[in-house]
Amino acid sequence: MCGISGYYSFHKSISSKNILEMNQAIKHRGPDDEGFWLSDKKKGTSFSGSDSTPKIKEQFPILEDDKSEIALGFRRLSIIDLSEKGHQPMLTEDEQVVITFNGEIYNFRKLREELQILGYHFDGSSDTEVLLKSYQEWGTGMFEKLDGMFALCIVDLSTQKLMVGRDRVGMKPLFYHQSEQGIVWASEIKGILKNELVTAEINWDGVYTNFLFQTTLAPKTCFKGIFSLEPASVMTISLTDQKLTVEKFWKLPLKTEQGISEEEAVKTIDHLLSESISEQLYADVPVAVMMSGGIDSTLIAAKSKPFNARINTYTISYPFSEEEIQNASLAAKHFGVLHKVEKVSDEDVLDQLKENIQHFEEPYCSLEVLINAAKYAKDNGIKVVLSGNGADELFGGYSHTLKLKKWLLMRNFNFTRHFIFTKDPFSRKVKNYFSQDFMFDFFRQSQISMTPFEAKNIITSDIYKNIDSDLAGYHLSESKNYSGYFEYDMKYSLSSHHVFRDDLSAMKYGVEFRYPYLSNRLIDYVAVLPEHFRFNGIQNKPLLRKTAEKYLPSEVLNMSKRGFSFPLNHFIKNEQKIRNFIIENLESLKKRNFFKTEVIDEWWNRLENEYDWVKIWQLVTFELWYQKYFEK
């Protein structure tokens, strides 16, 4: 787990100050080592940095004032092969191919054995070296073989190509800026903004989707000209003519397999999850399981013990999480693992509130408890944490999915919206409900954010008129069943939102989150199971519950679904400091003329339910985002 950055300047060599500052901006992602590689497209030179290990500094000169057309930067968080043999950028013996890689390849030991049979020799034991030799053997065909989370860059001087790629479901982020002057990429947008080829500008199309979905829908971001490389994609840039192509190496399988019994499905899921946990427990540093008290993470903890009898678990405690804490402790005692509870108070949240919000690089509608979970791990010497994230999307875990059948029936009456002429809040709510013509709209409605009407109403007309509010380009297959919703959950709820937030939360403290539910084989298997196994419209995650029955106490199995997040509305209502914080930032926001001041005041003075608090918080976090990335 690390951070990568780089650029390719099309027409001129630019100062190495760019890559140095880009790498420094993502220092938190890799505190253990750093490295650089500069090239004129014909040959390359490796450099160390001020934060490189002593041995690396002995091997390579420290990068100072230099110029190049191509530059790669790397920050290392040592997880596997802690020696300098895992240092990056890593080169082939002939120095024609170089790689920077962020993530973990869980099947790298199997790939290593396959490559050894083919005659390859390995100097170290890192998965990076396996990736490098996999590319030598299979080219971009290697991506189909990789089971893991990754964002990587490969420069091949022999074929004059530069490639950036991202894992199947986007567990590792990778952003890029493309212009006539060149292309710039990094694990976080913070790094990209340090490059001289990039100027920070607001992308209002991205802000619009952010307000509607709790996150900006990839490939767009809230920055003009900066994009998120979509999951399962490889982008190739020719070093001879700068031609850019993007290819997908995997698609979510949706064709239902017939002839499978539910009993067989439960046994196979049990086996595949064990296999995934076994692979993801592998590390040369301490590993723990973060338990929220629900089925997903508790099942991972239970199934981890046979592979690591000394596995540690921990839970983050926050207001109104008493039931989760009790169940997590009960479960840990049930299967006999060491368990700790870390309490997060209002004061803890306030302590670094502004810094934590601005760390996310876009407006947000919540307070992220996972930052506290990552801090706890770092403070206790834990570098790798297994998470239950991904189970909700894969197995139908969100409570709003239970409303799907009702919506499919009620959408037949959508014509009634044309006869609603009153404009009071209730009428608007009804009209919004009967405006959900597509599965995409049903998915949007479930995200607890602004409605399209509210977003249009709050944004000033001179800005809104230039926003592309037609989101048809984000529509997927639009199947009129659970499979149609499943597509949106996997692409937008998971890839654009949850694992993206996880990564930023964890890497702020140099911690790696891993996701056993998101292994290749488990996703491929569950995605094609008969729909009635995975979704019954009555209970969330019915198939995973059956899998967990033999492992978990009944209290955990029967617990209702709750999100793992700090109770924002309670926090705002009961903490005067946060209310003052909100008022201060709303007043600052009003002066910018981006949003209608009268609507801001109306929203602030009419806070009736949790949705109203969310809308206000989206405006506050927009202001903090703007302060961080646009004010000089």
Side-chain angles (χ1 to χ4, degrees), residues 188-378:
E188 295 181 20
I189 293 173
K190 301 174 190 67
I192 292 176
L193 294 175
K194 293 297 183 180
N195 193 283
E196 68 181 70
L197 303 180
V198 181
T199 302
E201 295 182 69
I202 297 177
N203 173 25
W204 283 102
D205 286 349
V207 172
Y208 180 72
T209 66
N210 180 281
F211 281 171
L212 266 55
F213 292 89
Q214 298 189 7
T215 190
T216 313
L217 299 187
K220 292 183 179 179
T221 71
C222 290
F223 295 87
K224 188 176 292 184
I226 297 180
F227 301 92
S228 173
L229 181 66
E230 293 203 68
S233 297
V234 180
M235 182 167 67
T236 302
I237 303 100
S238 169
L239 302 183
T240 55
D241 60 10
Q242 292 81 51
K243 182 180 179 181
L244 186 150
T245 58
V246 179
E247 295 180 305
K248 299 282 284 187
F249 61 84
W250 176 81
K251 289 184 179 179
L252 183 67
L254 295 171
K255 186 178 179 180
T256 303
E257 292 287 341
Q258 303 298 330
I260 300 175
S261 69
E262 188 174 60
E263 182 182 8
E264 179 188 353
V266 168
K267 287 181 179 179
T268 304
I269 289 169
D270 193 8
H271 168 72
L272 292 176
L273 185 56
S274 292
E275 183 182 75
S276 179
I277 290 170
S278 173
E279 289 186 332
Q280 296 196 27
L281 283 171
Y282 182 82
D284 294 327
V285 295
V287 181
V289 178
M290 178 178 61
M291 293 205 298
S292 66
I295 294 174
D296 311 338
S297 56
T298 309
L299 180 58
I300 289 174
K303 291 175 69 63
S304 293
K305 191 179 179 185
F307 304 108
N308 184 348
R310 294 174 295 178
I311 190 74
N312 290 334
T313 65
Y314 71 97
T315 301
I316 301 298
S317 168
Y318 52 89
F320 303 110
S321 64
E322 291 82 6
E323 184 182 2
E324 288 89 340
I325 301 307
Q326 182 180 350
N327 284 348
S329 300
L330 177 71
K333 185 177 180 180
H334 177 77
F335 42 77
V337 297
L338 184 63
H339 181 70
K340 292 186 178 180
V341 176
E342 176 71 1
K343 184 177 181 180
V344 177
S345 65
D346 291 0
E347 292 75 21
D348 293 327
V349 174
L350 279 168
D351 184 40
Q352 292 184 303
L353 181 62
K354 184 173 181 178
E355 178 188 329
N356 288 342
I357 291 170
Q358 292 177 330
H359 179 68
F360 284 116
E361 304 178 334
E362 65 179 20
Y364 192 32
C365 65
S366 185
L367 285 166
E368 192 54 79
V369 179
L370 288 174
I371 286 185
N372 302 96
K375 184 178 185 302
Y376 170 84
K378 180 184 179 181

Side-chain angles (χ1 to χ4, degrees), residues 472-623:
Y474 292 101
H475 288 198
L476 302 177
S477 70
E478 282 295 322
S479 300
K480 302 300 186 290
N481 51 26
Y482 170 72
S483 293
Y485 184 86
F486 174 68
E487 284 185 87
Y488 286 115
D489 243 4
M490 291 296 289
K491 181 165 185 180
Y492 296 130
S493 177
L494 183 66
S495 299
S496 286
H497 185 181
H498 287 298
V499 289
F500 165 56
R501 301 285 179 194
D502 270 24
D503 177 84
L504 284 171
S505 298
M507 296 308 293
K508 185 178 190 294
Y509 289 101
V511 175
E512 173 176 296
F513 285 175
R514 294 181 179 179
Y515 313 98
Y517 288 107
L518 299 179
S519 70
N520 289 2
R521 292 183 65 193
L522 192 55
I523 291 175
D524 286 346
Y525 183 76
V526 174
V528 297
L529 288 174
E531 179 178 314
H532 66 277
F533 289 1
R534 298 183 286 150
F535 173 74
N536 57 23
I538 301 170
Q539 185 183 48
N540 65 335
K541 289 181 285 202
L543 192 57
L544 188 61
R545 288 177 185 274
K546 286 184 171 63
T547 306
E549 282 177 355
K550 69 178 183 178
Y551 295 100
L552 304 185
S554 59
E555 291 88 345
V556 176
L557 284 169
N558 298 324
M559 180 180 168
S560 57
K561 169 67 181 173
R562 278 190 56 171
F564 186 61
S565 59
F566 200 87
L568 178 64
N569 57 336
H570 162 80
F571 188 45
I572 297 174
K573 284 180 182 178
N574 295 281
E575 181 58 69
Q576 187 59 46
K577 287 182 181 178
I578 192 69
R579 294 177 69 87
N580 294 339
F581 178 80
I582 289 173
I583 292 170
E584 176 187 342
N585 283 288
L586 288 181
E587 290 303 314
S588 178
L589 182 63
K590 289 177 186 178
K591 297 173 184 176
R592 302 194 189 282
N593 298 318
F594 295 148
F595 304 101
K596 299 172 186 173
T597 57
E598 67 276 12
V599 178
I600 294 175
D601 290 336
E602 179 188 347
W603 286 7
W604 178 239
N605 293 321
R606 198 191 70 223
L607 296 169
E608 298 174 352
N609 55 54
E610 65 176 297
Y611 305 107
D612 297 329
W613 299 103
V614 165
K615 291 185 298 182
I616 286 293
W617 197 244
Q618 287 180 296
L619 296 178
V620 170
T621 55
F622 177 94
E623 168 63 19

Side-chain angles (χ1 to χ4, degrees), residues 139-232:
T140 55
M142 76 168 185
F143 287 101
E144 298 175 12
K145 295 175 171 286
L146 304 180
D147 188 356
M149 52 183 184
F150 60 85
L152 58 80
C153 172
I154 295 174
V155 179
D156 188 338
L157 296 178
S158 62
T159 61
Q160 289 290 284
K161 290 180 180 178
L162 185 156
M163 291 147 277
V164 290
R166 194 173 174 207
D167 66 68
R168 284 181 168 201
V169 295
M171 287 178 274
K172 290 292 99 189
L174 188 63
F175 300 96
Y176 68 95
H177 177 275
Q178 181 187 357
S179 67
E180 292 182 357
Q181 285 72 45
I183 187 164
V184 183
W185 63 92
S187 296
E188 295 181 20
I189 293 173
K190 301 174 190 67
I192 292 176
L193 294 175
K194 293 297 183 180
N195 193 283
E196 68 181 70
L197 303 180
V198 181
T199 302
E201 295 182 69
I202 297 177
N203 173 25
W204 283 102
D205 286 349
V207 172
Y208 180 72
T209 66
N210 180 281
F211 281 171
L212 266 55
F213 292 89
Q214 298 189 7
T215 190
T216 313
L217 299 187
K220 292 183 179 179
T221 71
C222 290
F223 295 87
K224 188 176 292 184
I226 297 180
F227 301 92
S228 173
L229 181 66
E230 293 203 68

Side-chain angles (χ1 to χ4, degrees), residues 376-388:
Y376 170 84
K378 180 184 179 181
D379 291 346
N380 287 271
I382 300 166
K383 272 193 171 183
V384 176
V385 176
L386 266 57
S387 165

